Coordinates of all heavy atoms in Angstrom, one line a residue:
M1 N 0.8 -1.2 0.0 CA 0.0 0.0 0.0 C 0.9 1.2 0.0 O 0.5 2.2 -0.6 CB -0.9 -0.1 1.2 CG -2.0 1.0 1.2 SD -3.2 0.6 -0.1 CE -4.5 1.6 0.2
K2 N 2.0 1.2 0.7 CA 2.9 2.4 0.7 C 3.4 2.7 -0.7 O 3.4 3.9 -1.0 CB 4.0 2.1 1.7 CG 5.0 3.3 1.8 CD 6.1 2.9 2.8 CE 7.0 4.0 2.9 NZ 8.2 3.8 3.7
K3 N 3.7 1.7 -1.5 CA 4.2 2.0 -2.8 C 3.2 2.7 -3.6 O 3.5 3.6 -4.4 CB 4.6 0.7 -3.4 CG 5.4 0.9 -4.7 CD 5.9 -0.5 -5.2 CE 6.9 -0.2 -6.3 NZ 7.5 -1.5 -6.8
F4 N 1.9 2.3 -3.5 CA 0.8 3.0 -4.2 C 0.7 4.4 -3.8 O 0.5 5.3 -4.6 CB -0.5 2.2 -3.9 CG -1.7 2.8 -4.6 CD1 -1.9 2.6 -6.0 CD2 -2.7 3.5 -3.9 CE1 -3.0 3.1 -6.6 CE2 -3.8 4.1 -4.5 CZ -3.9 3.8 -5.9
S5 N 0.7 4.7 -2.5 CA 0.6 6.1 -1.9 C 1.7 6.9 -2.5 O 1.5 8.1 -2.8 CB 0.5 6.0 -0.4 OG -0.6 5.3 0.0
E6 N 2.9 6.4 -2.5 CA 4.1 7.1 -2.9 C 3.9 7.5 -4.4 O 4.3 8.6 -4.8 CB 5.4 6.3 -2.7 CG 5.7 6.2 -1.3 CD 6.9 5.3 -1.0 OE1 7.4 4.6 -2.0 OE2 7.4 5.2 0.0
S7 N 3.3 6.6 -5.2 CA 3.2 6.9 -6.6 C 2.2 8.0 -6.9 O 2.3 8.8 -7.8 CB 2.8 5.6 -7.4 OG 1.5 5.2 -7.0
I8 N 1.2 8.1 -6.0 CA 0.2 9.2 -6.1 C 0.9 10.5 -5.9 O 0.7 11.6 -6.5 CB -1.0 9.0 -5.1 CG1 -1.8 7.9 -5.5 CG2 -1.8 10.3 -5.0 CD1 -2.9 7.5 -4.5
E9 N 1.8 10.6 -4.9 CA 2.4 11.8 -4.5 C 3.4 12.3 -5.6 O 3.7 13.5 -5.7 CB 3.2 11.7 -3.2 CG 2.3 11.4 -2.0 CD 3.0 11.1 -0.7 OE1 4.3 11.1 -0.8 OE2 2.3 10.7 0.3
E10 N 3.9 11.4 -6.4 CA 4.9 11.7 -7.4 C 4.2 12.3 -8.7 O 4.9 12.9 -9.5 CB 5.7 10.5 -7.8 CG 6.5 10.0 -6.7 CD 7.2 8.7 -7.1 OE1 7.1 8.3 -8.2 OE2 7.8 8.1 -6.1
L11 N 2.9 12.2 -8.8 CA 2.2 12.7 -10.0 C 2.1 14.2 -10.0 O 1.8 14.8 -9.0 CB 0.8 12.0 -10.1 CG 0.8 10.5 -10.2 CD1 -0.6 10.0 -10.1 CD2 1.3 10.1 -11.5
Q12 N 2.3 14.8 -11.1 CA 2.2 16.2 -11.3 C 0.7 16.6 -11.6 O 0.1 16.0 -12.3 CB 3.1 16.7 -12.4 CG 3.2 18.2 -12.5 CD 4.2 18.6 -13.6 OE1 4.9 17.8 -14.2 NE2 4.2 19.9 -13.9
D13 N 0.2 17.7 -11.0 CA -1.1 18.1 -11.2 C -1.2 19.1 -12.4 O -0.2 19.7 -12.7 CB -1.6 18.9 -10.0 CG -1.9 18.0 -8.9 OD1 -2.3 16.7 -9.1 OD2 -1.9 18.4 -7.7
I14 N -2.3 19.1 -13.1 CA -2.6 20.0 -14.2 C -3.1 21.3 -13.6 O -3.9 21.3 -12.8 CB -3.6 19.4 -15.1 CG1 -3.3 18.0 -15.6 CG2 -3.9 20.3 -16.4 CD1 -4.4 17.3 -16.4
S15 N -2.6 22.4 -14.2 CA -3.1 23.7 -13.7 C -4.5 23.9 -14.0 O -5.1 23.4 -15.0 CB -2.2 24.9 -14.3 OG -2.5 25.0 -15.6
S16 N -5.2 24.7 -13.2 CA -6.6 25.1 -13.5 C -6.8 25.7 -14.8 O -7.8 25.5 -15.5 CB -7.2 25.9 -12.3 OG -7.2 25.2 -11.1
D17 N -5.9 26.6 -15.2 CA -5.9 27.3 -16.5 C -5.9 26.2 -17.6 O -6.7 26.3 -18.6 CB -4.8 28.3 -16.7 CG -5.0 29.5 -15.8 OD1 -6.1 29.7 -15.3 OD2 -4.0 30.2 -15.6
R18 N -5.0 25.3 -17.5 CA -4.9 24.2 -18.6 C -6.2 23.4 -18.6 O -6.7 23.0 -19.6 CB -3.7 23.4 -18.3 CG -3.5 22.3 -19.4 CD -3.4 22.9 -20.8 NE -3.3 21.8 -21.8 CZ -3.9 21.9 -23.0 NH1 -4.6 22.9 -23.3 NH2 -3.8 20.8 -23.8
V19 N -6.8 23.1 -17.4 CA -8.0 22.3 -17.4 C -9.1 23.0 -18.1 O -9.8 22.4 -18.9 CB -8.4 22.0 -15.9 CG1 -9.8 21.5 -15.8 CG2 -7.4 21.0 -15.2
E20 N -9.2 24.3 -17.9 CA -10.2 25.1 -18.6 C -10.0 25.1 -20.1 O -11.0 25.1 -20.8 CB -10.2 26.6 -18.0 CG -10.7 26.7 -16.6 CD -12.1 26.1 -16.3 OE1 -13.0 26.3 -17.2 OE2 -12.3 25.4 -15.3
E21 N -8.7 25.2 -20.5 CA -8.4 25.1 -21.9 C -8.9 23.8 -22.5 O -9.4 23.7 -23.6 CB -7.0 25.3 -22.2 CG -6.5 26.7 -21.9 CD -4.9 26.8 -22.0 OE1 -4.2 25.8 -22.2 OE2 -4.4 27.9 -21.8
I22 N -8.6 22.7 -21.8 CA -9.0 21.3 -22.2 C -10.5 21.3 -22.3 O -11.1 20.8 -23.3 CB -8.5 20.3 -21.3 CG1 -7.0 20.2 -21.4 CG2 -9.1 18.9 -21.6 CD1 -6.2 19.4 -20.3
I23 N -11.2 21.7 -21.3 CA -12.7 21.7 -21.3 C -13.3 22.5 -22.5 O -14.2 22.0 -23.2 CB -13.2 22.2 -19.9 CG1 -12.9 21.2 -18.9 CG2 -14.7 22.5 -20.1 CD1 -13.2 21.7 -17.5
K24 N -12.7 23.7 -22.7 CA -13.1 24.5 -23.8 C -12.9 23.8 -25.2 O -13.8 23.8 -26.0 CB -12.4 25.8 -23.8 CG -12.8 26.8 -24.9 CD -12.1 28.1 -24.9 CE -12.6 29.0 -26.1 NZ -11.7 30.0 -26.4
S25 N -11.8 23.2 -25.3 CA -11.5 22.4 -26.6 C -12.4 21.3 -26.7 O -12.9 21.1 -27.9 CB -10.0 21.9 -26.5 OG -9.7 21.2 -27.6
M26 N -12.7 20.5 -25.7 CA -13.6 19.4 -25.8 C -15.0 19.9 -26.1 O -15.7 19.2 -26.9 CB -13.6 18.6 -24.5 CG -12.3 17.9 -24.1 SD -11.7 16.7 -25.3 CE -10.5 17.6 -26.1
S27 N -15.4 21.0 -25.5 CA -16.8 21.5 -25.8 C -16.9 22.0 -27.2 O -17.9 21.8 -27.9 CB -17.1 22.7 -24.8 OG -17.1 22.2 -23.5
E28 N -15.8 22.6 -27.8 CA -15.8 23.0 -29.2 C -15.9 21.8 -30.1 O -16.6 21.8 -31.1 CB -14.6 23.8 -29.5 CG -14.6 25.2 -28.9 CD -13.3 26.0 -29.0 OE1 -12.3 25.4 -29.5 OE2 -13.3 27.1 -28.5
M29 N -15.2 20.7 -29.8 CA -15.2 19.5 -30.6 C -16.6 18.9 -30.6 O -17.1 18.5 -31.6 CB -14.2 18.5 -30.0 CG -12.8 18.6 -30.5 SD -11.9 17.2 -30.1 CE -10.6 18.0 -29.2
T30 N -17.3 18.9 -29.4 CA -18.6 18.4 -29.3 C -19.6 19.2 -30.2 O -20.4 18.6 -30.9 CB -19.1 18.4 -27.8 OG1 -18.2 17.6 -27.0 CG2 -20.5 17.9 -27.7
S31 N -19.4 20.5 -30.1 CA -20.3 21.4 -30.9 C -20.0 21.1 -32.4 O -21.0 21.0 -33.2 CB -20.0 22.8 -30.6 OG -20.7 23.7 -31.4
D32 N -18.8 21.0 -32.8 CA -18.5 20.7 -34.2 C -19.1 19.3 -34.7 O -19.7 19.2 -35.8 CB -17.0 20.6 -34.5 CG -16.3 22.0 -34.3 OD1 -17.0 23.0 -34.3 OD2 -15.1 22.1 -34.2
I33 N -19.0 18.3 -33.8 CA -19.5 17.0 -34.2 C -21.0 17.1 -34.2 O -21.6 16.4 -35.1 CB -19.0 16.0 -33.1 CG1 -17.5 15.7 -33.3 CG2 -19.8 14.7 -33.3 CD1 -16.9 14.8 -32.2
N34 N -21.6 17.8 -33.3 CA -23.1 17.9 -33.4 C -23.5 18.6 -34.7 O -24.6 18.2 -35.3 CB -23.6 18.7 -32.1 CG -23.6 17.9 -30.9 OD1 -23.6 16.7 -30.9 ND2 -23.5 18.6 -29.8
Q35 N -22.8 19.6 -35.1 CA -23.1 20.2 -36.4 C -23.0 19.2 -37.6 O -23.9 19.2 -38.4 CB -22.3 21.4 -36.7 CG -22.6 22.6 -35.8 CD -21.7 23.8 -36.0 OE1 -20.6 23.7 -36.6 NE2 -22.0 25.0 -35.4
K36 N -21.9 18.5 -37.6 CA -21.7 17.5 -38.6 C -22.8 16.4 -38.5 O -23.3 15.9 -39.5 CB -20.3 16.8 -38.5 CG -19.2 17.7 -38.7 CD -19.2 18.3 -40.1 CE -18.0 19.3 -40.3 NZ -18.1 20.0 -41.4
N37 N -23.2 16.1 -37.3 CA -24.3 15.1 -37.2 C -25.6 15.6 -37.8 O -26.4 14.8 -38.4 CB -24.5 14.8 -35.7 CG -25.0 13.4 -35.5 OD1 -24.9 12.5 -36.3 ND2 -25.6 13.1 -34.3
E38 N -25.9 16.8 -37.6 CA -27.1 17.5 -38.3 C -27.0 17.4 -39.8 O -28.0 17.1 -40.4 CB -27.2 18.9 -37.8 CG -27.6 19.1 -36.4 CD -27.7 20.5 -35.9 OE1 -27.6 21.4 -36.7 OE2 -27.8 20.7 -34.7
Q39 N -25.8 17.6 -40.3 CA -25.6 17.5 -41.8 C -25.8 16.0 -42.2 O -26.5 15.8 -43.3 CB -24.2 17.9 -42.2 CG -24.0 19.4 -42.0 CD -22.5 19.8 -42.3 OE1 -21.6 19.0 -42.2 NE2 -22.4 21.1 -42.7
V40 N -25.3 15.1 -41.4 CA -25.5 13.7 -41.8 C -27.0 13.3 -41.8 O -27.5 12.7 -42.6 CB -24.7 12.7 -40.8 CG1 -25.1 11.3 -41.0 CG2 -23.2 12.9 -41.1
D41 N -27.7 13.8 -40.7 CA -29.2 13.5 -40.6 C -29.9 14.1 -41.8 O -30.8 13.5 -42.4 CB -29.8 14.2 -39.3 CG -29.5 13.3 -38.1 OD1 -29.2 12.1 -38.3 OD2 -29.6 13.9 -37.0
S42 N -29.5 15.3 -42.2 CA -30.1 16.0 -43.4 C -29.9 15.1 -44.7 O -30.8 14.9 -45.5 CB -29.5 17.3 -43.6 OG -30.1 18.0 -44.7
L43 N -28.7 14.6 -44.8 CA -28.4 13.8 -46.0 C -29.2 12.5 -45.9 O -29.7 12.0 -47.0 CB -26.9 13.4 -46.1 CG -26.0 14.6 -46.5 CD1 -24.5 14.2 -46.3 CD2 -26.2 15.0 -47.9
I44 N -29.3 11.9 -44.8 CA -30.1 10.6 -44.6 C -31.5 10.9 -45.0 O -32.1 10.1 -45.8 CB -30.0 10.1 -43.2 CG1 -28.6 9.5 -42.9 CG2 -31.0 9.0 -42.9 CD1 -28.4 9.2 -41.4
N45 N -32.1 12.0 -44.5 CA -33.5 12.3 -44.9 C -33.7 12.6 -46.4 O -34.6 12.1 -46.9 CB -33.9 13.6 -44.1 CG -34.1 13.3 -42.6 OD1 -34.4 12.1 -42.2 ND2 -33.9 14.3 -41.8
E46 N -32.7 13.2 -46.9 CA -32.8 13.5 -48.4 C -32.7 12.2 -49.2 O -33.5 11.9 -50.1 CB -31.7 14.5 -48.9 CG -31.7 14.7 -50.3 CD -30.6 15.7 -50.7 OE1 -29.9 16.3 -49.9 OE2 -30.4 15.8 -52.0
L47 N -31.7 11.4 -48.8 CA -31.5 10.1 -49.6 C -32.6 9.1 -49.4 O -32.9 8.3 -50.2 CB -30.2 9.5 -49.2 CG -28.9 10.3 -49.7 CD1 -27.6 9.6 -49.2 CD2 -28.9 10.4 -51.2
N48 N -33.3 9.2 -48.2 CA -34.4 8.3 -48.0 C -35.5 8.5 -49.1 O -36.3 7.5 -49.4 CB -35.0 8.5 -46.6 CG -34.4 7.7 -45.5 OD1 -33.9 6.6 -45.8 ND2 -34.3 8.2 -44.4
N49 N -35.6 9.7 -49.7 CA -36.6 9.9 -50.8 C -36.2 9.1 -52.0 O -37.0 8.9 -52.9 CB -36.6 11.4 -51.1 CG -37.1 12.2 -50.0 OD1 -38.0 11.8 -49.3 ND2 -36.6 13.4 -49.8
Y50 N -35.0 8.6 -52.1 CA -34.5 7.9 -53.3 C -34.2 6.4 -53.0 O -33.6 5.7 -53.8 CB -33.3 8.6 -53.9 CG -33.6 10.1 -54.2 CD1 -33.1 11.0 -53.3 CD2 -34.3 10.4 -55.3 CE1 -33.4 12.4 -53.6 CE2 -34.5 11.7 -55.6 CZ -34.1 12.7 -54.7 OH -34.3 14.0 -55.0
R51 N -34.6 6.0 -51.9 CA -34.2 4.6 -51.4 C -34.9 3.6 -52.3 O -36.0 3.8 -52.8 CB -34.8 4.5 -50.0 CG -34.4 3.1 -49.4 CD -34.7 3.1 -47.9 NE -33.4 2.8 -47.3 CZ -33.0 3.0 -46.1 NH1 -33.9 3.5 -45.2 NH2 -31.9 2.7 -45.6
S52 N -34.2 2.5 -52.5 CA -34.7 1.4 -53.4 C -36.0 0.8 -52.8 O -36.1 0.6 -51.6 CB -33.6 0.3 -53.4 OG -34.1 -0.8 -54.1
K53 N -36.9 0.5 -53.6 CA -38.2 -0.1 -53.2 C -38.1 -1.6 -53.0 O -39.0 -2.3 -52.5 CB -39.3 0.2 -54.2 CG -39.5 1.7 -54.5 CD -40.0 2.4 -53.3 CE -40.3 3.8 -53.7 NZ -40.2 4.7 -52.6
S54 N -37.0 -2.2 -53.5 CA -36.7 -3.6 -53.4 C -36.4 -4.0 -52.0 O -35.6 -3.4 -51.3 CB -35.6 -4.0 -54.3 OG -35.2 -5.4 -54.1
G55 N -37.1 -5.1 -51.5 CA -36.9 -5.6 -50.2 C -35.8 -6.7 -50.2 O -35.3 -7.1 -49.1
K56 N -35.4 -7.1 -51.4 CA -34.4 -8.1 -51.5 C -33.0 -7.7 -51.7 O -32.0 -8.4 -51.4 CB -34.8 -9.1 -52.6 CG -36.1 -9.8 -52.4 CD -36.5 -10.7 -53.6 CE -37.8 -11.4 -53.3 NZ -38.1 -12.3 -54.4
S57 N -32.8 -6.5 -52.3 CA -31.4 -6.1 -52.6 C -31.3 -4.6 -52.3 O -32.3 -3.9 -52.2 CB -31.1 -6.4 -54.0 OG -32.0 -5.7 -54.9
S58 N -30.1 -4.2 -52.2 CA -29.8 -2.7 -51.9 C -29.0 -2.2 -53.1 O -28.2 -2.9 -53.7 CB -29.0 -2.6 -50.6 OG -29.7 -3.1 -49.5
D59 N -29.2 -0.9 -53.3 CA -28.4 -0.2 -54.4 C -27.4 0.7 -53.7 O -27.3 0.7 -52.5 CB -29.3 0.5 -55.4 CG -30.2 1.6 -54.7 OD1 -29.9 2.0 -53.6 OD2 -31.1 2.1 -55.4
Q60 N -26.8 1.5 -54.5 CA -25.8 2.5 -53.9 C -26.4 3.5 -52.9 O -25.8 3.8 -52.0 CB -25.1 3.3 -55.1 CG -24.4 2.4 -56.1 CD -25.3 2.1 -57.3 OE1 -26.5 1.9 -57.1 NE2 -24.7 2.0 -58.4
I61 N -27.6 3.9 -53.2 CA -28.3 4.8 -52.3 C -28.5 4.2 -50.9 O -28.3 4.8 -49.9 CB -29.6 5.4 -52.9 CG1 -29.4 6.1 -54.2 CG2 -30.4 6.3 -51.9 CD1 -28.6 7.4 -54.1
D62 N -29.0 2.9 -51.0 CA -29.3 2.2 -49.7 C -28.0 2.0 -49.0 O -28.0 2.1 -47.7 CB -29.9 0.8 -50.1 CG -31.3 0.9 -50.7 OD1 -32.0 1.9 -50.5 OD2 -31.5 0.0 -51.6
D63 N -27.0 1.7 -49.7 CA -25.7 1.5 -49.0 C -25.1 2.8 -48.4 O -24.6 2.8 -47.3 CB -24.6 0.9 -50.0 CG -23.4 0.4 -49.3 OD1 -23.5 -0.4 -48.5 OD2 -22.3 1.0 -49.6
A64 N -25.3 3.9 -49.2 CA -24.9 5.2 -48.6 C -25.7 5.5 -47.4 O -25.1 6.0 -46.4 CB -25.1 6.3 -49.7
I65 N -27.0 5.3 -47.4 CA -27.8 5.6 -46.2 C -27.3 4.7 -45.0 O -27.1 5.3 -43.9 CB -29.2 5.3 -46.4 CG1 -29.8 6.3 -47.4 CG2 -30.1 5.3 -45.1 CD1 -31.2 6.0 -47.9
S66 N -27.0 3.5 -45.2 CA -26.5 2.6 -44.2 C -25.1 3.1 -43.6 O -25.0 3.1 -42.4 CB -26.3 1.2 -44.7 OG -25.8 0.3 -43.8
N67 N -24.3 3.6 -44.5 CA -23.0 4.1 -44.0 C -23.2 5.4 -43.3 O -22.5 5.7 -42.3 CB -22.0 4.2 -45.2 CG -21.4 2.9 -45.6 OD1 -20.7 2.3 -44.8 ND2 -21.7 2.5 -46.8
L68 N -24.1 6.2 -43.7 CA -24.3 7.5 -43.0 C -24.9 7.2 -41.6 O -24.6 7.9 -40.7 CB -25.3 8.4 -43.8 CG -24.7 9.0 -45.0 CD1 -25.8 9.7 -45.9 CD2 -23.7 10.1 -44.6
Q69 N -25.8 6.2 -41.5 CA -26.3 5.8 -40.2 C -25.2 5.3 -39.3 O -25.2 5.6 -38.0 CB -27.4 4.8 -40.3 CG -28.6 5.3 -41.0 CD -29.6 4.2 -41.4 OE1 -29.3 3.1 -41.6 NE2 -30.9 4.6 -41.4
L70 N -24.2 4.6 -39.8 CA -23.0 4.2 -39.0 C -22.2 5.4 -38.5 O -21.8 5.5 -37.4 CB -22.2 3.2 -39.8 CG -22.8 1.9 -40.1 CD1 -21.9 1.1 -41.0 CD2 -23.0 1.1 -38.7
I71 N -22.1 6.4 -39.4 CA -21.4 7.7 -39.1 C -22.1 8.4 -38.0 O -21.5 8.8 -37.0 CB -21.2 8.5 -40.3 CG1 -20.2 7.9 -41.3 CG2 -20.7 9.9 -40.0 CD1 -20.2 8.5 -42.7
R72 N -23.4 8.4 -38.1 CA -24.2 9.1 -37.1 C -24.0 8.5 -35.8 O -23.8 9.1 -34.7 CB -25.7 9.1 -37.5 CG -26.6 9.8 -36.5 CD -28.0 9.9 -36.9 NE -28.6 8.7 -37.3 CZ -29.7 8.5 -38.0 NH1 -30.4 9.6 -38.4 NH2 -30.1 7.3 -38.3
K73 N -24.0 7.1 -35.7 CA -23.7 6.4 -34.5 C -22.3 6.7 -33.9 O -22.1 6.9 -32.7 CB -23.9 4.9 -34.7 CG -23.5 4.0 -33.6 CD -24.6 4.0 -32.4 CE -24.3 2.9 -31.4 NZ -23.7 3.4 -30.2
S74 N -21.4 6.7 -34.8 CA -20.0 7.0 -34.4 C -19.9 8.5 -33.8 O -19.2 8.7 -32.8 CB -19.0 6.9 -35.6 OG -18.9 5.6 -36.0
F75 N -20.6 9.4 -34.4 CA -20.6 10.7 -33.9 C -21.2 10.8 -32.5 O -20.8 11.5 -31.6 CB -21.4 11.7 -34.8 CG -20.6 12.1 -36.1 CD1 -21.3 12.7 -37.1 CD2 -19.3 12.0 -36.2 CE1 -20.7 13.1 -38.2 CE2 -18.6 12.5 -37.3 CZ -19.3 13.0 -38.4
S76 N -22.3 10.0 -32.4 CA -23.0 9.9 -31.1 C -22.0 9.3 -30.0 O -21.9 9.9 -28.9 CB -24.3 9.1 -31.2 OG -24.9 9.0 -29.9
D77 N -21.3 8.3 -30.4 CA -20.4 7.7 -29.5 C -19.2 8.7 -29.1 O -18.8 8.8 -28.0 CB -19.8 6.4 -30.0 CG -20.8 5.3 -30.1 OD1 -21.8 5.3 -29.5 OD2 -20.4 4.3 -30.9
A78 N -18.8 9.4 -30.1 CA -17.7 10.4 -29.9 C -18.1 11.5 -28.9 O -17.4 11.9 -28.0 CB -17.2 11.0 -31.2
T79 N -19.4 12.0 -29.1 CA -19.8 13.1 -28.2 C -20.0 12.5 -26.8 O -19.7 13.2 -25.8 CB -21.1 13.7 -28.7 OG1 -22.1 12.8 -28.9 CG2 -20.9 14.5 -30.0
D80 N -20.4 11.3 -26.6 CA -20.5 10.7 -25.3 C -19.1 10.6 -24.7 O -19.0 10.9 -23.5 CB -21.1 9.3 -25.5 CG -21.3 8.6 -24.1 OD1 -21.9 9.2 -23.2 OD2 -20.8 7.5 -24.0
K81 N -18.1 10.2 -25.4 CA -16.8 10.1 -24.9 C -16.2 11.5 -24.5 O -15.6 11.6 -23.5 CB -15.8 9.4 -25.9 CG -16.2 8.0 -26.2 CD -16.2 7.1 -25.0 CE -16.7 5.7 -25.4 NZ -17.2 4.9 -24.2
L82 N -16.5 12.4 -25.4 CA -16.0 13.8 -25.1 C -16.7 14.4 -23.8 O -16.1 15.0 -23.0 CB -16.3 14.8 -26.2 CG -15.4 14.6 -27.5 CD1 -16.0 15.3 -28.7 CD2 -14.0 15.0 -27.2
D83 N -18.0 14.1 -23.6 CA -18.7 14.4 -22.4 C -18.1 13.8 -21.2 O -17.9 14.4 -20.1 CB -20.2 14.1 -22.5 CG -21.0 14.9 -23.4 OD1 -20.5 16.0 -23.8 OD2 -22.1 14.5 -23.8
N84 N -17.6 12.5 -21.3 CA -16.9 11.9 -20.2 C -15.6 12.5 -19.9 O -15.3 12.7 -18.7 CB -16.7 10.4 -20.6 CG -18.0 9.6 -20.5 OD1 -19.0 9.9 -19.9 ND2 -17.9 8.4 -21.2
V85 N -14.9 12.9 -20.9 CA -13.7 13.7 -20.7 C -13.9 15.0 -19.9 O -13.3 15.2 -18.9 CB -12.9 13.9 -22.0 CG1 -11.8 14.9 -21.8 CG2 -12.5 12.7 -22.7
V86 N -14.9 15.7 -20.4 CA -15.2 17.0 -19.7 C -15.6 16.7 -18.3 O -15.1 17.4 -17.3 CB -16.3 17.7 -20.5 CG1 -16.8 18.9 -19.7 CG2 -15.8 18.2 -21.8
N87 N -16.5 15.8 -18.0 CA -16.9 15.5 -16.6 C -15.8 15.1 -15.8 O -15.6 15.5 -14.7 CB -18.0 14.4 -16.6 CG -19.3 14.9 -17.2 OD1 -19.6 16.1 -17.1 ND2 -20.1 14.0 -17.7
N88 N -14.8 14.2 -16.3 CA -13.7 13.7 -15.5 C -12.7 14.9 -15.2 O -12.2 15.0 -14.1 CB -13.0 12.7 -16.2 CG -13.7 11.3 -16.1 OD1 -14.3 11.1 -15.1 ND2 -13.5 10.4 -17.1
I89 N -12.5 15.7 -16.2 CA -11.5 16.8 -16.0 C -12.1 17.9 -15.1 O -11.4 18.4 -14.2 CB -11.2 17.5 -17.4 CG1 -10.4 16.4 -18.3 CG2 -10.3 18.7 -17.2 CD1 -9.1 16.0 -17.7
E90 N -13.4 18.1 -15.2 CA -14.1 19.0 -14.2 C -14.0 18.5 -12.8 O -13.7 19.2 -11.9 CB -15.6 19.3 -14.6 CG -15.7 20.2 -15.8 CD -17.1 20.4 -16.3 OE1 -18.0 19.6 -15.9 OE2 -17.4 21.4 -16.9
D91 N -14.3 17.2 -12.6 CA -14.2 16.6 -11.3 C -12.8 16.7 -10.8 O -12.5 17.0 -9.6 CB -14.7 15.1 -11.4 CG -14.6 14.5 -10.0 OD1 -15.3 15.0 -9.1 OD2 -14.0 13.5 -9.9
Y92 N -11.8 16.4 -11.6 CA -10.4 16.5 -11.2 C -10.1 18.0 -10.8 O -9.4 18.1 -9.7 CB -9.5 16.2 -12.5 CG -8.0 16.5 -12.3 CD1 -7.2 15.6 -11.6 CD2 -7.5 17.7 -12.7 CE1 -5.9 15.9 -11.5 CE2 -6.2 18.0 -12.5 CZ -5.3 17.1 -11.9 OH -4.0 17.4 -11.7
N93 N -10.5 18.9 -11.5 CA -10.3 20.3 -11.2 C -11.0 20.7 -9.8 O -10.4 21.4 -9.0 CB -10.8 21.2 -12.3 CG -10.0 22.6 -12.3 OD1 -8.9 22.7 -11.9 ND2 -10.8 23.6 -12.7
K94 N -12.2 20.2 -9.6 CA -12.9 20.6 -8.4 C -12.5 19.8 -7.2 O -12.4 20.3 -6.0 CB -14.4 20.4 -8.6 CG -15.0 21.4 -9.5 CD -16.5 21.1 -9.8 CE -17.0 22.0 -10.9 NZ -18.4 21.6 -11.2
N95 N -12.3 18.5 -7.3 CA -12.1 17.6 -6.2 C -10.7 17.0 -6.1 O -10.4 16.2 -5.2 CB -13.1 16.5 -6.3 CG -14.5 17.0 -6.3 OD1 -14.9 17.8 -5.4 ND2 -15.3 16.5 -7.2
G96 N -9.8 17.3 -7.0 CA -8.4 16.7 -7.0 C -8.4 15.4 -7.6 O -9.4 14.8 -8.0
R97 N -7.2 14.8 -7.7 CA -7.0 13.5 -8.2 C -7.6 12.4 -7.4 O -7.4 12.4 -6.2 CB -5.5 13.3 -8.5 CG -5.2 12.0 -9.2 CD -3.7 11.8 -9.3 NE -2.9 13.0 -9.8 CZ -2.7 13.1 -11.1 NH1 -3.0 12.2 -12.0 NH2 -2.0 14.2 -11.6
K98 N -8.3 11.5 -8.0 CA -8.7 10.3 -7.3 C -8.7 9.1 -8.3 O -9.0 9.3 -9.5 CB -10.1 10.4 -6.7 CG -11.2 10.8 -7.6 CD -12.5 11.0 -6.9 CE -13.5 11.5 -7.9 NZ -14.7 11.9 -7.2
F99 N -8.2 8.0 -7.9 CA -8.2 6.9 -8.8 C -9.6 6.2 -8.9 O -10.2 6.0 -8.0 CB -7.2 5.9 -8.4 CG -5.8 6.4 -8.6 CD1 -5.1 7.1 -7.6 CD2 -5.1 6.3 -9.8 CE1 -3.8 7.6 -7.8 CE2 -3.9 6.8 -10.1 CZ -3.2 7.4 -9.0
L100 N -10.0 6.0 -10.2 CA -11.3 5.5 -10.4 C -11.4 4.0 -10.4 O -12.5 3.4 -10.1 CB -11.9 6.0 -11.8 CG -11.9 7.5 -11.9 CD1 -12.3 7.9 -13.3 CD2 -12.8 8.2 -10.8
Y101 N -10.3 3.4 -10.8 CA -10.3 1.9 -10.8 C -8.8 1.4 -10.8 O -7.9 2.2 -11.0 CB -11.0 1.3 -11.9 CG -10.9 2.0 -13.3 CD1 -9.8 1.6 -14.1 CD2 -11.8 2.9 -13.7 CE1 -9.7 2.3 -15.3 CE2 -11.7 3.5 -14.9 CZ -10.6 3.2 -15.7 OH -10.5 3.9 -16.9

């Protein structure tokens, strides 16, 4: 246990100013991703008007829609991860370093 405690003391802290810069940067990224997600949604809605009527096969439009839906999911996952970063960094700044696991 002593070795673990010593390793905590050796860690350098991030300045509050730097934490605020990181939070601002992550928030800007989230905003940018949300804007791109709106563009993807718009494209999906537009391309849905040209979707193949065949239930047995897909064409290029169907495939494009499928890929756009995957992109939308990836954007959603990315914003979730960015939110986690912001929450962790804010907690670090307010409450100090604590090991989560």
